[in-house]
Structures are given as structure tokens and as C-alpha cells.
Amino acid sequence: MATPDFVGTDAGTILISGPRQAFDANEEMFRALGGNVQHIGEEPGRANALDSALLALMWGALFGTLHAIAVSQAEEIDLGELARQWTATAPVVDGLVADLIKRTDASRFASDDETLSSISPHYGAFQHLLELMEARKIDRSVADGYDAIFQRAIAAGHLHDDFAALSQFLGSPDKRSLRSGVRGGSLLTG
């Protein structure tokens, strides 16, 4: 879970799953590769599955950044200004991500006193982004996928629910991936 510059450093994260005894016997070697070595479970595919989940989070951020760059360039906003404003905004986004994970884990999808944001204002702002992207001829393929998720949730009556309600429209927490022969992004063999 690191770019090459993190390998061998204290911040280098290595996720390991499988027999705990094997991990314990080799932990010193693993720590030489990265200081943040974590045994996350006995199931051999668990590290791969968590890696895929974390990569999905990373790619969401990276593709979001590419869209932000495209919008900034189309609107003649200096990318240095984009970077400065992202630094100011990042703590808000980090808080929203943490809340989204917590609320989804607790299946707390209805808006309540602790809701940071419901789907409605996000969808309105998102429509503005889609219009801007269309007007400036910015590729919308990723954004259109997000729009489809918004639309499914709204059609199901979740417009005023917490943003976490969208998590119900990206898949199911069941074991469908195991039944279809896919686990953690890899085909199971044997």
C-alpha cells in the first residue's frame, strides 16, 4: 500500500493475511520492507480484498483530482490555486470520508441530527459540475457513472437521506463475489 518512495520507511504499509503463525515467524523480514506491517486476518485473500478497497478509494481521489485539474484548466484557474484550496478543503473531505465509512458500517442511512450532508445538496452541485463539464467538453465518463448511482438512489426515495445511503447502490455487502468466482479482484483457481 505504498508508492516506491515509502517502501522500507516507517510509513510503508504492508497488508498481510494468512496463518498468524507464518506472519509471526516472518514479521521481522516484513518490517524491513515497511514499518507499518499489519496482519489483517487468517483468510489468505483478505489482504488482497482490502488492497482492492483501498485502491478504489485512492483511484476515486486521483480521478477526482484529474477532473478538478480539467475544470480548473477549462476555467483558467491556476493549478497552484487549486492546490492551495485543496489543502484548505482536505480536512473537510477527510471528515466526510470517515463519517461515510462509520455510517455505512452502522447502516445509518436516514438523515439524523449527526448527518453532515444529505444526497440532495450534493446532487444539485453535481448537476452543476456535469453541466460545466458538458459545456467545456470535459470527459464525463466517470462522472456519468456517479450520476447513475445518484439517480438510482433518488429513484428509490433517498434524496433527503444521508450521503451514506448511496453505498446501498454500489453493491451488496454479501458474498456475491465469492459465488461468482471473484475475490479481491483476482479469479479464484483450483
Side-chain angles (χ1 to χ4, degrees):
M1 297 307 311
T3 52
D5 54 325
F6 279 89
V7 175
T9 71
D10 288 343
T13 297
I14 299 175
L15 304 175
I16 298 175
S17 57
R20 181 66 194 215
Q21 184 178 10
F23 172 80
D24 290 342
N26 295 286
E27 187 173 359
E28 187 175 319
M29 178 197 60
F30 296 140
R31 293 215 183 275
L33 298 172
N36 187 23
V37 176
Q38 300 178 38
H39 182 264
I40 60 163
E42 296 278 330
E43 182 187 334
R46 188 172 181 87
N48 188 36
L50 183 55
D51 174 66
S52 294
L54 291 167
L55 287 172
L57 185 60
M58 177 192 73
W59 287 323
L62 293 177
F63 276 100
T65 303
L66 292 173
H67 278 126
I69 290 168
V71 168
S72 295
Q73 290 175 330
E75 295 293 317
E76 299 180 357
I77 297 169
D78 179 73
L79 294 183
E81 181 65 21
L82 174 64
R84 283 187 294 281
Q85 294 306 321
W86 169 247
T87 300
T89 306
V92 174
V93 175
D94 288 345
L96 288 168
V97 168
D99 183 66
L100 178 60
I101 293 169
K102 179 179 77 172
R103 289 183 74 92
T104 302
D105 187 45
S107 297
R108 289 179 47 224
F109 302 122
S111 287
D112 58 28
D113 290 341
E114 295 179 17
T115 292
L116 298 176
S117 61
S118 65
I119 293 171
S120 179
H122 280 280
Y123 190 64
F126 188 74
Q127 291 308 303
H128 173 71
L129 174 64
L130 290 178
E131 291 167 6
L132 188 153
M133 293 173 80
E134 185 68 29
R136 297 297 189 189
K137 307 296 184 230
I138 297 169
D139 186 287
R140 287 181 32 160
S141 53
V142 173
D144 285 341
Y146 293 152
D147 191 40
I149 295 163
F150 270 122
Q151 289 182 31
R152 285 196 306 268
I154 292 166
H158 295 280
L159 180 63
H160 300 292
D161 283 343
D162 191 275
F163 193 83
L166 293 173
S167 68
Q168 300 171 97
F169 297 89
L170 276 89
S172 177
D174 65 15
K175 305 279 184 188
R176 272 191 278 176
S177 60
L178 291 175
R179 288 195 301 271
S180 66
V182 177
R183 176 67 172 143
S186 302
L187 290 179
L188 295 175
T189 58

